[in-house]
Amino acid sequence: MKLLRYGPAGHEQPGLLDAHGRIRSLAGILPELTPQQLSPAALARLAAVDPASLPVAPGAPRLGVPFAGTRKFIAIGLNYADHAAESNLAIPTEPVVFTKAVSCLQGPHDEVMLPRGSKKTDWEVELGVVIGTTARYVEEREALEHVAGYCVINDLSEREYQIERGGTWDKGKGCDTFGPVGPWLVTRDEVGDVQSLDMWLDVNGQRMQTGNTRTMIFSVARIVSYVSEFMTLEPGDIITTGTPPGVGMGRKPEPIYLAPGDTIRLGIARLGEQRQSVVAWRRS
């Protein structure tokens, strides 16, 4: 299944994408797509619903984050060897773990707003892993059983804040609008081999990133198992798993960073595409 939420920000309704690419409303079946709806039993009940029996959403509505109620947004850094190289950093011997603020989550096509005074806002196409059942000290061989599905994430990053502002990466990773997720949550059964997905990102029509999840240093199963050693993973938690080479910071001969008016397009095979326009900082 491809599960989603659609409608104005703060007023999204639950839905799914049918085989013809039409949004079907789930509002008559459940009021919201919450973490409780990501368990195997709940997903099986939704899978048993005939999409043709659901009303089609009119028009082309905005898409929000595909599910509500995320409590933790965890990220893995330097998980592709060639990205570590372009960042002039050593290949890690264990997953590099940091957090993105839950407040940065937004829909896949919402505007990206540069932070006030930003000089080095960068892009990163990444595979997102959505937890479906509680995971605590999970063995790697069992880790994927705790995954509800996968999604596209743009792990936007302000490099000056991340690297030059005295310490943890988190400062450059959780700015408002820095967590587009979606367009939908694709359930694990529909994705198949998660370690064989092509991924790409364009800025202003120019291909910047091309990669495949097969070149991850640490697999999805390893990441879920590893993170569960340090914190309990709960239904609805998101882990974004690192980016392939081609980020702006690594461009030669000079880095390239995002500016107002830029357009970002990115996607992962079987998981859909995102598109964002970049705007200057403004008070909400």
Side-chain angles (χ1 to χ4, degrees), residues 225-268:
S225 173
Y226 184 86
V227 174
S228 78
E229 295 181 29
F230 302 98
M231 65 191 79
T232 298
L233 294 172
E234 303 170 301
D237 287 351
I238 302 170
I239 306 175
T240 189
T241 58
T243 197
V247 299
M249 179 177 63
R251 303 293 291 184
K252 301 293 188 290
E254 296 291 336
I256 300 173
Y257 296 111
L258 294 168
D262 286 346
T263 298
I264 313 167
R265 291 185 64 238
L266 59 148
I268 300 178

Side-chain angles (χ1 to χ4, degrees), residues 112-118 121 177-178 258-260 278-282:
V112 166
M113 182 176 67
L114 300 177
R116 187 174 65 178
S118 171
T121 293
T177 76
F178 273 24
L258 294 168
V278 179
V279 299
W281 181 83
R282 61 176 181 265

Side-chain angles (χ1 to χ4, degrees), residues 61-79:
R62 168 193 172 270
L63 296 177
V65 177
F67 52 93
T70 295
R71 283 163 51 102
K72 291 192 289 297
F73 192 3
I74 307 301
I76 306 299
L78 304 176
N79 196 29

Side-chain angles (χ1 to χ4, degrees), residues 159-231:
R159 303 299 190 189
E160 183 189 25
Y161 298 1
Q162 176 189 357
I163 299 169
E164 303 171 33
R165 298 290 296 272
T168 64
W169 287 11
D170 305 46
K171 284 186 274 189
K173 294 285 190 171
C175 304
D176 291 346
T177 76
F178 273 24
V181 177
W184 36 75
L185 165 67
V186 185
T187 51
R188 183 161 52 95
D189 60 301
E190 187 165 324
V191 172
D193 182 3
V194 72
Q195 299 301 157
S196 184
L197 301 177
D198 289 330
M199 52 205 307
W200 57 272
L201 182 145
D202 296 346
V203 177
N204 299 330
Q206 179 181 353
R207 182 60 44 93
M208 296 295 187
Q209 290 186 272
T210 303
N212 188 288
T213 56
R214 75 171 64 92
T215 66
M216 284 182 172
I217 298 169
F218 305 106
S219 69
V220 171
R222 171 66 174 136
I223 289 167
V224 172
S225 173
Y226 184 86
V227 174
S228 78
E229 295 181 29
F230 302 98
M231 65 191 79

